[in-house]
Amino acid sequence: MKMKLVAGNSAGTVTAYYLSSKGETWDEIDFEFLGNVTGQPYVLHTNVFTGGKGNREMQFYLWFDPTADFHTYTVLWNPLNIIFLVDGIPIRVFKNNEAHGVAYPKSQPMKIYSSLWEADDWATQGGRVKTDWTNAPFSAFYRSFNDVDCCSRTSVWNWVTCNANSNSWMWTTLNPNQVGQMKWVQDDYMKKR
């Protein structure tokens, strides 16, 4: 998905693009952009939920102004890992570690959602900065959604067959160059807690 985020004072707002199933034990994969006061950077909040439980957050500052132009935010979810990418650069990998007792989203189909919502109780500097409603309406822009390589349902009971050959996205992991890119992002742009 290509997105351009809320410009100016976006404190207290969250622009989200995420995959989610339904029910009390939902699975979810999140890109959430935590707004901030003018001149301060957005925080990109990522999370993975399995069985209704999250607490797998990682946050990043972006190395560009996400309000000036459209940038591409990608989730690659397969049986091996979930890869979060920004403009083709991997920022995070959540590996399938079920063999070690870590739950992994694999049994529930998810739909794609997007939203822009008020979360000034936590979104900006831990809730210290509130939404300035004189800046409303807040607008984010989405375009060029692409799910060409996805598996999808044709009905509640029928699935389109995923391309399971050895070169397909179903078996994609990071190559050494991408590991280096992710290390650069995590060393220089990951928000330390």
Side-chain angles (χ1 to χ4, degrees):
M1 175 74 74
K2 289 187 181 289
M3 296 173 60
K4 184 162 68 167
L5 302 181
V6 176
N9 185 345
S10 58
T13 67
V14 174
T15 304
Y17 161 55
Y18 60 103
L19 294 94
S20 183
S21 61
K22 295 291 185 186
E24 290 182 25
T25 57
W26 79 99
D27 292 339
E28 187 171 306
I29 302 169
D30 294 335
F31 269 116
E32 294 180 323
F33 301 88
L34 312 184
N36 217 332
V37 293
T38 303
Q40 297 296 311
Y42 264 82
V43 172
L44 169 52
H45 179 91
T46 64
N47 201 356
V48 176
F49 286 78
T50 53
K53 295 179 182 155
N55 295 323
R56 297 178 178 109
E57 293 106 346
M58 287 179 79
Q59 295 183 333
F60 303 87
Y61 295 107
L62 297 170
W63 51 95
F64 53 84
D65 178 356
T67 69
D69 202 356
F70 285 89
H71 291 271
T72 303
Y73 303 93
T74 304
V75 172
L76 191 152
W77 169 39
N78 66 26
L80 303 175
N81 48 211
I82 299 165
I83 303 172
F84 295 80
L85 301 108
V86 175
D87 290 335
I89 297 171
I91 62 168
R92 176 184 184 180
V93 173
F94 183 83
K95 292 184 180 182
N96 183 344
N97 282 313
E98 284 185 302
H100 302 287
V102 178
Y104 189 80
K106 68 172 189 180
S107 60
Q108 300 184 67
M110 292 193 250
K111 292 183 178 181
I112 296 172
Y113 298 90
S114 64
S115 61
L116 175 54
W117 52 286
E118 181 271 327
D120 70 4
D121 58 330
W122 70 273
T124 304
Q125 298 175 26
R128 289 187 299 276
V129 181
K130 304 300 181 188
T131 305
D132 181 351
W133 291 102
T134 63
N135 294 313
F138 300 101
S139 299
F141 303 91
Y142 300 78
R143 72 177 185 200
S144 303
F145 171 70
N146 179 353
D147 67 348
V148 170
D149 293 327
C150 293
C151 301
S152 60
R153 289 192 289 189
T154 56
S155 73
V156 173
W157 297 278
N158 297 315
W159 285 87
V160 173
T161 303
C162 297
N163 180 358
N165 74 49
S166 62
N167 293 323
S168 91
W169 64 272
M170 285 283 289
W171 311 113
T172 297
T173 59
L174 298 185
N175 63 41
N177 182 54
Q178 291 172 313
V179 169
Q181 290 176 322
M182 186 172 71
K183 182 178 180 342
W184 165 71
V185 171
Q186 291 186 357
D187 286 350
D188 293 352
Y189 296 98
M190 191 164 76
K191 185 175 178 191
K192 311 299 184 221
R193 292 192 178 231

